[in-house]
Structures are given as structure tokens and as C-alpha cells.
Amino acid sequence: MPSERFEFPNARGEKLAASLERPAGPPLAYALFAHCFTCGKDNLAAKRIAEGLTARGIAVLRFDFTGLGASEGEFANTTFSSNVADLVAAADHLRATYRAPAILIGHSLGGAAVLAAAQHIPEARAVATIAAPADPSHVTGLFQQHVADIQEKGEVEVALAGRPFRIRKKFLDDVAMQKLEQCLRDLRKALLVLHSPTDDLVGIENASAIFSAAKHPKSFVSLAGADHLLGKRADAVYVAEVIAAWSERYLDMVPEPDDMPIEGVLVGETRNGKFEQSVVVGKHRYLADEPTSVGGNGSGPSPYEYLLAGLGACTAMTIRLYADLKKIPLQRVSVLLKHDKIHAVDCENCETKEGKIDRIEREIRLEGDLSTEQRARLLEIADKCPVHRTLHGEIDIKTREAA
């Protein structure tokens, strides 16, 4: 879904630039995302993770910390503590305008920041860190050769990721004072630690330290083969899938009373790739997509595969209901379906004799000690399936523009 962009004030009254992705249909939960050191809210990892979570029904707020991206203020005046304060201000804004965040997600130094901010956001019940350092002072390793000069001169301009940033002594003093061990011991929220064992910027030992210091419930997921910034789309998508699935165990993943599930089926673009769609059915969320061979992400079944799934599910249900009603000893039924286009002349029983028509091949497997007559009758019942009848009957589809 398109991003909603706005500004909200931090503790000093400076306006911070934010982006909120809301899913198609009522959000199941709200998440607050903290980006990596000097990265900004629109870096690829942040955008892709937010898109992946939104497609799974979770709204995501990401924003630029003070002095970064489109946010006001000077980066030189910021510290780790000010980043934590910015996160609390973002949570306050979400609480006042939509719903307080139930999930806190932080990447790299942002991961350390959400661990420190969690105690100030009581509604948050789940915290996920991605490639996070166990000690915020780890970030000084990015400009280690300048630390002595910063201590002596008070501030120095350093190059980070090819861009100049002014670092002041108060930043060094602030990160040196941070003790995440106590934050982890007092977290009282579910914790998910995601880290690559080959991360050459923040070593895997940081994940071990975070995991060891935290109390249960806690989980660790290895991001094997991923780099620190999650440069590969597949790695960011995987992170989103894991966080979405993991958080269900710890959250009441249902809409608020004012956001009750819609009637019918709602389909909307995720804007994650060329074809990917979010499918909302009541409280259920799915993805529809096309294979990578035709330009899709391959993140979900194609529209025709959903059509086949509907017919297959209806067929199996109808056969099961009839078998149970007639006390036929059917142990299990499964249905294999395939869709294709064929020339009309190749269809013996079709009225259309020119061009191409759709053909669905349905293979039904009936397991159990069944007689020949019982098997034949169950195959006949398959054609009584309501979806089968719909596909064979006259369908009236009315289209209008939504208000």
C-alpha cells in the first residue's frame, strides 16, 4: 500500500520525517522500526522489511532520527540517548493518532536503541533486533581512527558510508555510559534476535551476548549468508516473514473494535515488486504474486493457482461431507489440479469450436477400503461442489469504483 508521509515533534520540538505503511484492510498490529546508524528510514532494508510486514497485516512506522534524512536538527547534536528519545516520541505519536506499537524492530544500532526504549513503551510486547551490537559503543569502531581527535578537539568530521558526519565528544561519552545488560534483564517482553554468522561489521558474538543477557521468552534466528545491511531483497523479505510469524505467538493479532475485518475479500497492491498483492479475508492475510520467470517475486500463489485452490478445497470438502453422511469408509481425499489453455477443437463436449478455451484437469485421490461403486459415486459428487457449479454456471460480475 502507498506510504503515508508526515512529521511529528521530538522532545526538543524538532520535526522528524516519518513514513507509515498500512496494510490493505485493518492492521493486525502496529510496529515501530529503528534504522541503522546514519542510514535513514528509506534505506533498502528498512523499506523492504516494512513492505513485507505490511503485506502480512502489520502497519509499520519508520522515521529519520534527528539530523538525518528529511528530519530537522543537527546530527552533530545527537547521541544514542537522543535516538532513544526519538523512538519514544514516535511511539507517543502512534499512540495518539492510531494505536501504540506492539512490536519494536531495530536494525544495527537501531536494534540497541529499541532495547533501551522498550521500557518506556509499555504497550510493546515484542522486540526484534537485526544485526544489533550488544554494546552501543561498538559503533565507535566505524571511526576508531578519529576517536582520539574527537576526545581532544571536542568534535571532528568523519566519513561514514561515503558521507561526511560531524561527531562530537558528547556522543562518545553518551554511548560509553549505556548499559544494555540491565535493559535486557528488565525487558519483560518477547525478544527475537536475528543475526548473520558472517556479519563482518557487527560480529555474531554480539547476538550471543544479547541472547544470553535476556530472559525468556527469547528466540534466535540465524541470517545465514546475509550481509550487515541486508543488501539482498530475499534476506529482508525473510526477516519480515520471520518477525510476522514469530510475533503472532505473543500478540493479540486481531484488529481493534474500530477496525473490524471487512466483509468479502480485499485485494490491494503491496508495491513490493511488479505483481505482488495483499489478500485480506476476514482476519486472514495472504499474498498473491506471479513467478519470478514472468517478473514477479514468487512470494505467493498466482491468481489462477488461487482459483484452483478454491475448486480443490471445495471438491474435497464436498466429498468428505457426502462420505460421512453416507458412512462411506473414506480415510482421506486429496485433489490435484492443473490449469491450461487448449484449442477449442480439441474439446469434444464444448460448444465453442474456435480459438482457445480454459481447461482444468482435476485428479482426485480417494484413500480407504472403498468399493468400485463407492468410488464412482464419490467422483460424481465432486461435480456437485458449489465452486464447480459456479465455474460452470452463468456468472454476473458487476464492477464499480469505490467511494
Side-chain angles (χ1 to χ4, degrees):
M1 299 296 290
S3 299
E4 178 186 346
R5 293 184 177 267
F6 53 86
E7 295 177 333
F8 66 89
N10 65 8
R12 293 188 294 273
E14 297 159 328
K15 294 180 179 178
L16 304 185
S19 177
L20 176 66
E21 272 86 15
R22 286 168 59 85
L28 297 176
Y30 281 78
L32 178 58
F33 188 98
H35 60 70
C36 52
F37 186 56
T38 75
C39 289
K41 69 180 184 305
D42 293 322
N43 78 87
L44 281 178
K47 289 182 65 176
R48 289 168 174 170
I49 292 172
E51 289 169 349
L53 289 170
T54 303
R56 290 157 182 81
I58 299 173
V60 183
L61 175 67
R62 48 195 171 91
F63 68 97
D64 293 324
F65 283 117
T66 301
L68 290 173
S71 288
E72 293 180 348
E74 290 186 39
F75 178 80
N77 290 329
T78 65
T79 62
F80 181 80
S81 293
S82 73
N83 286 348
V84 173
D86 286 350
L87 277 167
V88 175
D92 291 343
H93 181 80
L94 262 183
R95 184 184 300 110
T97 55
Y98 293 99
R99 200 193 316 169
I103 310 171
L104 305 179
I105 306 168
H107 184 195
S108 193
L109 189 63
V114 297
L115 290 173
Q119 60 185 311
H120 305 292
I121 307 173
E123 299 91 343
R125 296 172 60 185
V127 180
T129 65
I130 308 161
D135 183 349
S137 63
H138 182 282
V139 73
T140 61
L142 296 174
F143 47 88
Q144 186 62 45
Q145 68 274 29
H146 299 290
V147 169
D149 283 346
I150 296 171
Q151 294 283 11
E152 180 182 347
K153 299 176 182 178
E155 64 178 78
V156 170
E157 187 175 276
V158 304
L160 298 172
R163 294 180 293 157
F165 291 92
R166 188 161 292 277
I167 306 294
R168 291 180 175 165
K169 182 177 181 296
K170 70 174 184 178
F171 180 88
L172 300 182
D173 295 341
D174 183 79
V175 293
M177 292 171 52
Q178 304 300 324
K179 303 299 180 186
L180 286 186
E181 293 91 341
Q182 188 61 46
C183 294
L184 285 161
R185 283 195 292 269
D186 298 337
L187 188 61
R188 294 185 176 87
K189 305 177 192 296
L191 175 66
L192 173 63
V193 180
L194 301 108
H195 213 112
S196 169
T198 54
D199 190 327
D200 58 2
L201 196 61
V202 179
I204 189 66
E205 66 276 5
N206 286 272
S208 298
I210 291 172
F211 189 83
S212 297
K215 297 179 180 179
H216 284 290
K218 57 184 177 179
S219 305
F220 172 77
V221 173
S222 174
L223 303 178
D227 58 54
H228 180 73
L229 293 178
L230 303 181
K232 298 177 184 176
R233 174 184 287 275
D235 292 330
V237 171
Y238 175 69
V239 166
E241 290 175 345
V242 170
I243 293 175
W246 165 82
S247 59
E248 287 184 3
R249 181 176 291 270
Y250 305 104
L251 305 180
D252 296 324
M253 298 287 275
V254 294
E256 292 288 293
D258 293 338
D259 291 326
M260 291 309 291
I262 60 166
E263 294 183 4
V265 177
L266 176 63
V267 180
E269 292 181 312
T270 67
R271 297 294 181 91
N272 181 25
K274 187 176 180 181
F275 297 115
E276 189 179 85
Q277 306 289 316
S278 173
V279 182
V280 183
V281 187
K283 66 178 182 178
H284 305 292
R285 295 318 199 261
Y286 310 96
L287 288 177
D289 205 348
E290 292 287 355
T292 55
S293 59
V294 296
N297 296 332
S299 59
S302 71
Y304 271 110
E305 287 169 335
Y306 271 113
L307 178 66
L308 296 180
L311 175 60
C314 182
T315 299
M317 291 175 185
T318 301
I319 291 174
R320 169 53 61 193
L321 286 172
Y322 183 83
D324 289 351
L325 178 65
K326 297 299 183 179
K327 295 183 171 38
I328 296 175
L330 175 66
Q331 292 182 355
R332 186 171 183 270
V333 57
S334 58
V335 187
L336 175 64
L337 302 102
K338 296 179 182 179
H339 170 262
D340 203 355
K341 296 278 189 178
I342 65 168
H343 292 285
V345 294
D346 294 331
C347 179
E348 297 179 0
N349 302 318
C350 295
E351 295 180 4
T352 302
K353 294 303 178 184
E354 295 182 359
K356 288 190 173 183
I357 63 170
D358 292 277
R359 167 174 284 176
I360 294 177
E361 295 184 5
R362 182 172 55 177
E363 182 179 294
I364 301 173
R365 180 180 296 275
L366 304 171
E367 299 179 22
D369 186 15
L370 308 173
S371 67
T372 302
E373 293 76 12
Q374 287 173 328
R375 291 180 182 274
R377 182 55 180 157
L378 292 176
L379 290 180
E380 289 178 10
I381 290 299
D383 290 344
K384 306 297 183 181
C385 151
V387 173
H388 181 106
R389 289 180 170 180
T390 297
L391 291 175
H392 273 278
E394 184 175 359
I395 302 175
D396 179 24
I397 299 177
K398 296 182 179 180
T399 303
R400 67 178 184 273
E401 184 177 1

